[in-house]
Amino acid sequence: MDEAAWPRVFHLLFYTCLGMAATIAALEDGLDPVALALTAIMAAWYAFFVARRPALLEQLNPMAWHFLVLVALNYALVRTNSSYQAMTYGMITLPYLLLPGRWGYAGAVLLVLSSAAAAGAFEVIPEDPAVLAYVLGSTALTLIMGIFTRDLVKHSEQNLIVGALEERARLAREIHDTLAQGFSGIIAQLEAAEQGIDDPEAVRKRIAQAKQLARDSLKEARRSVDALRPEPLERAPLHEALKGVAERWSAATGVPATVSVDGEPRRLPEDVEATLLRAAQEGLANVAKHARARRAVLTLSYMEEEITLDVLDDGAGFDPDGTGGGYGLIAMRERAARSGGTVTVESALGEGTALCVSIPCA
């Protein structure tokens, strides 16, 4: 449950107990104008000064004053009719909701003691010591509830922080997979155009490809930020989308790239398909930047309990022990891990590189 939902739960608890106490009092003793008036004032005060002002919660001033007013009203109601003792349960989270830090525990003790005083507990303690045990037990229970309430809110805040960090990491991966790769392709095309400056037709072709890469990258970046599926997966199933990625990459780099499919293609969860598509894009981008390969091969294998994507090239290769991998490989591994998968890289100098992404999907 998110942080904003807990106050609503506590508001509901307050009004449920208030309504229940008023109903019991009316059924047992009839309608008491004083009790009804105090109930209406208490409900209105809570609605206007607490429920409608979430930004002021846990601010000592003015919430301490509103808390004291509610405690005073509760005292008056219990003195008017003992059925309103049920309101103690409705207000048990109130001091921790309204007051900051240790003030919440002090407010909880005040609430319990004032309710006990209103019920006349202190008057009978000399004759019945068990009442003292009841008051002390209620106080202890209220303090324990405070610890529990604070723990719930703390965990909610931690979940929000974790969610924000995960979203930040997702956006970083998406930006890398769209803008960074797109810019790399644009730079490569412009450098090729610069080298072929004496051939106007070749220059026009390279510039046209660079412009198309820029348009595609911008469009894909917008979609990624909106947390939508990668555009190729919107238009075609995964294996067809991979073929489109390979064709565009070959057209931009001049290096042939083929896609083969083993097994019967089937629909996969969206996150799995997105992970495999991004892995293919990153793998091909690395081939273009580092491998100096003559060809690349993508193999998508549909198996009973898992699906794998292999990206192979016959380029220069590298020593896997001599590098930790760039952000692209790190992001790829993070993506795969979120789907329960793994990424392995095998390479040797002069013998090309094999990238394998494996994700279980029984």
Side-chain angles (χ1 to χ4, degrees):
M1 186 179 295
D2 61 63
E3 184 182 3
W6 285 113
R8 292 195 291 269
V9 173
F10 300 150
H11 299 336
L12 178 61
L13 176 64
F14 176 88
Y15 281 111
T16 298
C17 290
L18 181 61
M20 181 180 66
T23 301
I24 293 173
L27 291 175
E28 290 184 348
D29 303 316
L31 297 176
D32 183 345
V34 174
L36 287 176
L38 290 173
T39 300
I41 293 172
M42 193 175 195
W45 195 281
Y46 187 92
F48 187 78
F49 292 109
V50 177
R52 293 184 59 184
R53 302 191 178 187
L56 297 179
L57 296 180
E58 292 194 70
Q59 292 189 21
L60 193 59
N61 184 18
M63 283 303 169
W65 301 109
H66 298 318
F67 175 71
L68 290 175
V69 170
L70 292 170
V71 169
L73 288 170
N74 180 63
Y75 179 90
L77 281 169
V78 175
R79 295 292 292 181
T80 302
N81 192 306
S82 60
S83 298
Y84 281 93
Q85 291 182 67
M87 270 310 297
T88 302
Y89 300 102
M91 297 175 66
I92 199 169
T93 59
L94 197 57
Y96 308 108
L97 181 66
L98 270 61
L99 306 178
R102 295 178 180 178
W103 287 100
Y105 298 104
V109 173
L110 174 63
L111 172 64
V112 173
L113 295 181
S114 66
S115 296
F122 296 115
E123 300 171 7
V124 300
I125 285 178
E127 302 174 2
D128 187 0
V131 175
L132 177 60
Y134 173 78
V135 172
L136 293 177
S138 298
T139 303
L141 177 61
T142 305
L143 294 175
I144 292 172
M145 283 296 298
I147 296 172
F148 176 70
T149 302
R150 290 274 163 82
D151 191 57
L152 285 176
V153 174
K154 180 180 178 181
H155 277 81
S156 297
E157 292 173 347
Q158 290 175 343
N159 289 337
L160 287 175
I161 293 172
V162 171
L165 291 175
E166 289 180 349
E167 181 65 10
R168 184 181 300 175
R170 182 193 71 81
L171 289 174
R173 290 192 298 267
E174 295 293 347
I175 290 172
H176 175 272
D177 290 340
T178 54
L179 293 180
Q181 292 182 9
F183 286 145
S184 295
I186 292 169
I187 291 171
Q189 294 301 319
L190 293 178
E191 286 177 344
E194 186 178 38
Q195 293 172 2
I197 194 69
D198 296 331
D199 186 348
E201 183 60 30
V203 170
R204 282 194 294 270
K205 180 180 177 182
R206 294 294 185 179
I207 291 177
Q209 290 178 340
K211 289 167 63 178
Q212 186 59 46
L213 278 172
R215 294 189 188 99
D216 292 343
S217 297
L218 178 60
K219 189 175 182 180
E220 181 65 14
R222 288 170 175 167
R223 297 176 68 85
S224 296
V225 171
D226 291 336
L228 298 176
R229 285 163 58 82
E231 184 187 5
L233 293 177
E234 291 288 325
R235 302 193 304 257
L238 176 60
H239 61 286
E240 294 293 341
L242 288 176
K243 291 179 180 178
V245 167
E247 289 173 359
R248 289 190 293 274
W249 181 83
S250 294
T253 62
V255 178
T258 59
V259 177
S260 63
V261 179
D262 292 338
E264 185 66 27
R266 62 181 185 271
R267 196 68 176 179
L268 300 169
E270 291 186 0
D271 60 327
V272 173
E273 292 191 344
T275 295
L276 294 171
L277 182 73
R278 294 305 192 197
Q281 291 174 322
E282 176 62 24
L284 290 174
N286 287 337
V287 172
K289 286 187 288 186
H290 308 299
R292 299 191 300 277
R294 294 185 300 274
R295 62 191 298 266
V297 177
L298 282 70
T299 302
L300 184 64
S301 302
Y302 291 89
M303 291 173 275
E304 185 175 349
E305 296 184 352
E306 68 176 2
I307 183 166
T308 62
L309 171 70
D310 296 293
V311 182
L312 311 176
D313 70 74
D314 61 354
F318 64 96
D319 180 6
D321 297 329
T323 176
Y327 180 80
L329 186 57
I330 294 173
M332 193 187 306
R333 286 189 168 125
E334 289 178 349
R335 280 181 176 277
R338 288 171 67 89
S339 299
T342 59
V343 176
T344 58
V345 179
E346 296 181 1
S347 184
L349 293 175
E351 297 182 12
T353 302
L355 168 73
C356 178
V357 181
S358 177
I359 299 178
C361 55

Short mmCIF file of all heavy atoms in Angstrom, two decimals, residues 14-15 18 34-49 69-70 73 77:
data_model
loop_
_atom_site.label_atom_id
_atom_site.label_comp_id
_atom_site.label_asym_id
_atom_site.label_seq_id
_atom_site.Cartn_x
_atom_site.Cartn_y
_atom_site.Cartn_z
N PHE A 14 -11.56 6.07 12.03
CA PHE A 14 -12.11 7.09 12.93
C PHE A 14 -13.61 7.22 12.76
O PHE A 14 -14.38 7.15 13.73
CB PHE A 14 -11.42 8.44 12.65
CG PHE A 14 -11.97 9.58 13.45
CD1 PHE A 14 -11.47 9.87 14.71
CD2 PHE A 14 -13.00 10.37 12.94
CE1 PHE A 14 -11.99 10.92 15.46
CE2 PHE A 14 -13.51 11.43 13.69
CZ PHE A 14 -13.01 11.70 14.95
N TYR A 15 -14.05 7.40 11.51
CA TYR A 15 -15.47 7.61 11.28
C TYR A 15 -16.30 6.35 11.52
O TYR A 15 -17.46 6.42 11.93
CB TYR A 15 -15.70 8.15 9.87
CG TYR A 15 -15.41 9.63 9.75
CD1 TYR A 15 -14.32 10.10 9.04
CD2 TYR A 15 -16.23 10.56 10.39
CE1 TYR A 15 -14.04 11.46 8.95
CE2 TYR A 15 -15.96 11.91 10.31
CZ TYR A 15 -14.87 12.36 9.59
OH TYR A 15 -14.61 13.70 9.52
N LEU A 18 -16.72 6.22 15.28
CA LEU A 18 -17.62 7.30 15.72
C LEU A 18 -19.06 6.96 15.38
O LEU A 18 -19.96 7.11 16.23
CB LEU A 18 -17.20 8.61 15.06
CG LEU A 18 -18.03 9.86 15.45
CD1 LEU A 18 -17.92 10.12 16.95
CD2 LEU A 18 -17.57 11.08 14.65
N VAL A 34 -27.43 16.44 23.29
CA VAL A 34 -26.06 16.87 23.61
C VAL A 34 -25.04 15.94 22.94
O VAL A 34 -24.06 16.38 22.33
CB VAL A 34 -25.85 16.88 25.14
CG1 VAL A 34 -24.38 17.19 25.47
CG2 VAL A 34 -26.77 17.89 25.80
N ALA A 35 -25.29 14.63 23.05
CA ALA A 35 -24.38 13.66 22.44
C ALA A 35 -24.37 13.82 20.92
O ALA A 35 -23.30 13.75 20.28
CB ALA A 35 -24.77 12.24 22.82
N LEU A 36 -25.55 14.02 20.33
CA LEU A 36 -25.62 14.20 18.88
C LEU A 36 -24.86 15.45 18.44
O LEU A 36 -24.15 15.45 17.43
CB LEU A 36 -27.08 14.29 18.43
CG LEU A 36 -27.88 12.98 18.47
CD1 LEU A 36 -29.33 13.24 18.09
CD2 LEU A 36 -27.27 11.96 17.52
N ALA A 37 -25.00 16.52 19.21
CA ALA A 37 -24.32 17.77 18.86
C ALA A 37 -22.80 17.59 18.97
O ALA A 37 -22.05 18.02 18.08
CB ALA A 37 -24.79 18.89 19.78
N LEU A 38 -22.35 16.93 20.05
CA LEU A 38 -20.91 16.71 20.20
C LEU A 38 -20.36 15.79 19.11
O LEU A 38 -19.25 15.99 18.61
CB LEU A 38 -20.63 16.11 21.58
CG LEU A 38 -20.82 17.04 22.78
CD1 LEU A 38 -20.68 16.26 24.08
CD2 LEU A 38 -19.82 18.19 22.75
N THR A 39 -21.17 14.79 18.74
CA THR A 39 -20.75 13.88 17.66
C THR A 39 -20.60 14.63 16.35
O THR A 39 -19.62 14.44 15.61
CB THR A 39 -21.78 12.75 17.50
OG1 THR A 39 -21.88 12.02 18.72
CG2 THR A 39 -21.37 11.80 16.37
N ALA A 40 -21.58 15.49 16.05
CA ALA A 40 -21.53 16.27 14.81
C ALA A 40 -20.32 17.21 14.81
O ALA A 40 -19.63 17.36 13.79
CB ALA A 40 -22.82 17.05 14.63
N ILE A 41 -20.06 17.84 15.94
CA ILE A 41 -18.91 18.76 16.02
C ILE A 41 -17.61 18.00 15.82
O ILE A 41 -16.71 18.44 15.09
CB ILE A 41 -18.91 19.49 17.38
CG1 ILE A 41 -20.11 20.44 17.47
CG2 ILE A 41 -17.61 20.26 17.58
CD1 ILE A 41 -20.29 21.06 18.84
N MET A 42 -17.51 16.83 16.45
CA MET A 42 -16.30 16.03 16.34
C MET A 42 -16.06 15.58 14.90
O MET A 42 -14.95 15.65 14.38
CB MET A 42 -16.38 14.82 17.26
CG MET A 42 -15.07 14.08 17.45
SD MET A 42 -15.24 12.76 18.68
CE MET A 42 -13.51 12.40 19.02
N ALA A 43 -17.13 15.12 14.25
CA ALA A 43 -17.02 14.67 12.86
C ALA A 43 -16.61 15.81 11.95
O ALA A 43 -15.75 15.66 11.07
CB ALA A 43 -18.34 14.06 12.40
N ALA A 44 -17.23 16.99 12.14
CA ALA A 44 -16.92 18.14 11.30
C ALA A 44 -15.50 18.65 11.55
O ALA A 44 -14.78 19.00 10.61
CB ALA A 44 -17.94 19.26 11.56
N TRP A 45 -15.11 18.68 12.82
CA TRP A 45 -13.76 19.17 13.15
C TRP A 45 -12.69 18.28 12.50
O TRP A 45 -11.72 18.76 11.93
CB TRP A 45 -13.57 19.19 14.67
CG TRP A 45 -12.38 20.00 15.10
CD1 TRP A 45 -11.08 19.62 15.08
CD2 TRP A 45 -12.39 21.33 15.61
NE1 TRP A 45 -10.25 20.62 15.53
CE2 TRP A 45 -11.04 21.69 15.88
CE3 TRP A 45 -13.40 22.26 15.88
CZ2 TRP A 45 -10.69 22.94 16.40
CZ3 TRP A 45 -13.04 23.49 16.40
CH2 TRP A 45 -11.71 23.83 16.65
N TYR A 46 -12.91 16.97 12.61
CA TYR A 46 -11.95 16.03 12.03
C TYR A 46 -11.90 16.19 10.51
O TYR A 46 -10.82 16.19 9.91
CB TYR A 46 -12.34 14.60 12.40
CG TYR A 46 -11.31 13.57 11.99
CD1 TYR A 46 -10.31 13.19 12.86
CD2 TYR A 46 -11.33 12.99 10.73
CE1 TYR A 46 -9.35 12.25 12.51
CE2 TYR A 46 -10.38 12.05 10.35
CZ TYR A 46 -9.39 11.69 11.24
OH TYR A 46 -8.45 10.76 10.86
N ALA A 47 -13.08 16.31 9.90
CA ALA A 47 -13.13 16.41 8.44
C ALA A 47 -12.42 17.67 7.95
O ALA A 47 -11.63 17.63 7.00
CB ALA A 47 -14.58 16.41 7.97
N PHE A 48 -12.68 18.80 8.62
CA PHE A 48 -12.17 20.06 8.11
C PHE A 48 -10.69 20.28 8.47
O PHE A 48 -9.90 20.74 7.65
CB PHE A 48 -13.00 21.23 8.66
CG PHE A 48 -12.63 22.56 8.07
CD1 PHE A 48 -13.08 22.91 6.80
CD2 PHE A 48 -11.81 23.45 8.75
CE1 PHE A 48 -12.72 24.13 6.24
CE2 PHE A 48 -11.46 24.67 8.20
CZ PHE A 48 -11.91 25.01 6.94
N PHE A 49 -10.31 19.92 9.71
CA PHE A 49 -8.97 20.26 10.16
C PHE A 49 -7.96 19.12 10.05
O PHE A 49 -6.75 19.35 10.18
CB PHE A 49 -9.02 20.73 11.62
CG PHE A 49 -9.71 22.05 11.80
CD1 PHE A 49 -10.95 22.11 12.41
CD2 PHE A 49 -9.14 23.23 11.35
CE1 PHE A 49 -11.60 23.33 12.57
CE2 PHE A 49 -9.78 24.45 11.51
CZ PHE A 49 -11.02 24.50 12.12
N VAL A 69 -8.29 19.36 20.81
CA VAL A 69 -9.74 19.59 20.66
C VAL A 69 -10.46 18.26 20.52
O VAL A 69 -11.51 18.02 21.15
CB VAL A 69 -10.02 20.50 19.45
CG1 VAL A 69 -11.51 20.54 19.16
CG2 VAL A 69 -9.50 21.91 19.72
N LEU A 70 -9.93 17.35 19.70
CA LEU A 70 -10.57 16.05 19.50
C LEU A 70 -10.55 15.22 20.78
O LEU A 70 -11.51 14.51 21.10
CB LEU A 70 -9.88 15.30 18.36
CG LEU A 70 -10.08 15.91 16.97
CD1 LEU A 70 -9.16 15.24 15.96
CD2 LEU A 70 -11.53 15.77 16.53
N LEU A 73 -13.26 16.65 23.02
CA LEU A 73 -14.59 16.22 22.56
C LEU A 73 -14.83 14.76 22.91
O LEU A 73 -15.95 14.38 23.31
CB LEU A 73 -14.69 16.44 21.05
CG LEU A 73 -14.80 17.90 20.59
CD1 LEU A 73 -14.65 17.99 19.07
CD2 LEU A 73 -16.14 18.50 21.02
N LEU A 77 -17.82 13.31 25.23
CA LEU A 77 -18.74 12.28 24.74
C LEU A 77 -18.78 11.07 25.67
O LEU A 77 -19.85 10.52 25.96
CB LEU A 77 -18.34 11.85 23.32
CG LEU A 77 -18.75 12.79 22.20
CD1 LEU A 77 -18.06 12.41 20.89
CD2 LEU A 77 -20.27 12.77 22.02
#
